[in-house]
Amino acid sequence: MKRGRDEPGRLRGEPPPRWARIAPAAALVALVLAQALTPDAELGFFLAGLPPVAAFAYGAAGTAVFAAVVLLLLGLPALGVGHARGTDLATVAVVGLLSVVIAWVRQRRDAQLVSVRTVAEAAQLAVLPPVPERVGAVRCSGLYQAAQRGTLVGGDLYDVRAGPHGVRALVGDVQGHGLAAVGTVAALLGAFREGVIDDAGLAAVAGRLDRRLVADARAASVEHPELFATAVLLEFPPGLDLVRIVSCGHPPALRLRGAAVEELVVEPGPPLGLGLAGPALPAVAELPLRPGDQLLLHTDGVTEARDAAGHFYPLAARVPVLARDPGGLVGAVWRDLAAFTDGGPRDDVALLLLSLDGPG
């Protein structure tokens, strides 16, 4: 399952690019050769600028090596590179020492940043772990792209869980996006996972999610009391070739049957968290499934993405073509969407592809 704008683990620190490590050494060799070819010119003192440059690509030890080499080249006239003496050589030595200190501080801060990012990544993946390739009799393929750079979780969510009443799936979109919505995402996922085990009906699971958001919105610690979310819930009962669907103000799922694609239009309920349903639970639709049928669930970050001319992304029209991609449908949709929007939409995107293929 793809995460963020790169692969999982992208929050962790990366080493400096190769060119940044090669540049100081290349500059050192170039200046030495230039000085040898033009003995009348004084180019040696340009070497004094190399240790500070090396401090941004190397650690303290590597920077110290550069500083020592520069001091030797400038302090030994026999080498023919420089003729530094007295205060000039002392100045170069101070520059080299400061460069080593800068490299040590940078390296230490980088290590701290890697630690913080690693913890943040682990926490976010704990909230929204990747979906497995199979849950019970249901094959799964998911893709999540957070709109806010540097995060793995935003305002969209999905999950697929097996329970005593079959395999249940959830795709939702909470108010807002980015890190501010992660708390709501975690609350909904926790309520859903409890409902998969405890609630006999799919509508009861939706009611549980609605009550969770209503309770959170009434809490004094919640910044936005108008907290709500759209969601679609699916249930694959054991031993039956059908799917049950509950829609809470969410975009309809798509059913792929061969080359045909159609929207699964069901009676929509109100979004979660508004408390509009009262004691009545939302309607549950039952739809038969044939072997090979696939269900594509998505959030509005897909269908409301626009191109440069302001046109919405035509997901249903593009799916028949993209379904032939050997790399998988969800990845093909994301690549097509990124090309359509010239770099990717500005909203969170979640895609979940499910098919009932029998137990593996």
Side-chain angles (χ1 to χ4, degrees), residues 79-326:
L79 299 177
V81 178
H83 304 82
R85 289 290 185 273
T87 56
D88 291 337
L89 196 59
T91 300
V92 175
V94 170
V95 170
L97 179 61
L98 291 176
S99 300
V100 172
V101 173
I102 291 172
W104 179 79
V105 172
R106 180 195 61 78
Q107 195 173 33
R108 186 173 181 181
R109 289 180 63 87
D110 285 352
Q112 293 173 341
L113 183 60
V114 168
S115 178
V116 170
R117 287 179 169 177
T118 302
V119 172
E121 179 178 342
Q124 292 182 59
L125 289 177
V127 171
L128 191 64
V131 294
E133 294 183 358
R134 179 185 288 273
V135 178
V138 178
R139 292 188 180 274
C140 314
S141 178
L143 180 145
Y144 196 105
Q145 295 284 347
Q148 184 173 328
R149 298 187 66 87
T151 62
L152 299 178
V153 181
D156 291 355
L157 64 145
Y158 57 52
D159 200 5
V160 184
R161 298 277 166 163
H165 310 290
V167 176
R168 289 170 172 172
L170 165 69
V171 173
D173 183 359
V174 309
Q175 176 197 32
H177 55 80
L179 292 175
V182 173
T184 305
V185 168
L188 283 176
L189 288 173
F192 170 73
R193 291 161 187 168
E194 291 178 355
V196 167
I197 299 174
D198 296 337
D199 296 326
L202 190 62
V205 180
R208 178 188 292 265
L209 300 181
D210 181 73
R211 293 191 300 273
R212 175 73 272 165
L213 285 189
V214 170
D216 287 349
R218 291 173 178 170
S221 59
V222 174
E223 181 180 355
H224 302 289
E226 68 278 10
L227 192 64
F228 68 92
T230 66
V232 59
L233 295 96
L234 275 66
E235 179 180 88
F236 299 88
L240 300 177
D241 293 331
L242 60 85
V243 61
R244 298 187 178 113
I245 302 177
V246 169
S247 176
C248 301
H250 199 78
L254 300 179
R255 180 172 60 190
L256 289 71
R257 178 171 288 173
V261 176
E262 64 174 326
E263 289 188 348
L264 298 181
V265 180
V266 299
E267 182 180 347
L272 302 172
L274 299 183
L276 300 178
L281 295 175
V284 180
E286 283 193 1
L287 299 172
L289 291 178
R290 298 178 185 174
D293 283 357
Q294 299 181 86
L295 304 177
L296 180 63
L297 291 78
H298 60 89
T299 55
D300 60 11
V302 178
T303 52
E304 293 184 1
R306 298 173 182 259
D307 63 7
H311 301 125
F312 290 109
Y313 179 70
L315 176 63
R318 295 294 298 154
V319 163
V321 177
L322 300 174
R324 298 195 291 266
D325 191 302

Side-chain angles (χ1 to χ4, degrees), residues 22-103:
I22 294 176
L28 177 66
V29 174
L31 286 171
V32 171
L33 291 177
Q35 182 64 72
L37 295 175
T38 56
D40 294 334
E42 288 289 340
L43 302 177
F45 283 102
F46 285 105
L47 295 171
L50 293 183
V53 175
F56 290 98
Y58 290 86
T63 304
V65 171
F66 269 97
V69 171
V70 168
L71 282 174
L72 287 175
L73 291 174
L74 294 180
L76 297 177
L79 299 177
V81 178
H83 304 82
R85 289 290 185 273
T87 56
D88 291 337
L89 196 59
T91 300
V92 175
V94 170
V95 170
L97 179 61
L98 291 176
S99 300
V100 172
V101 173
I102 291 172

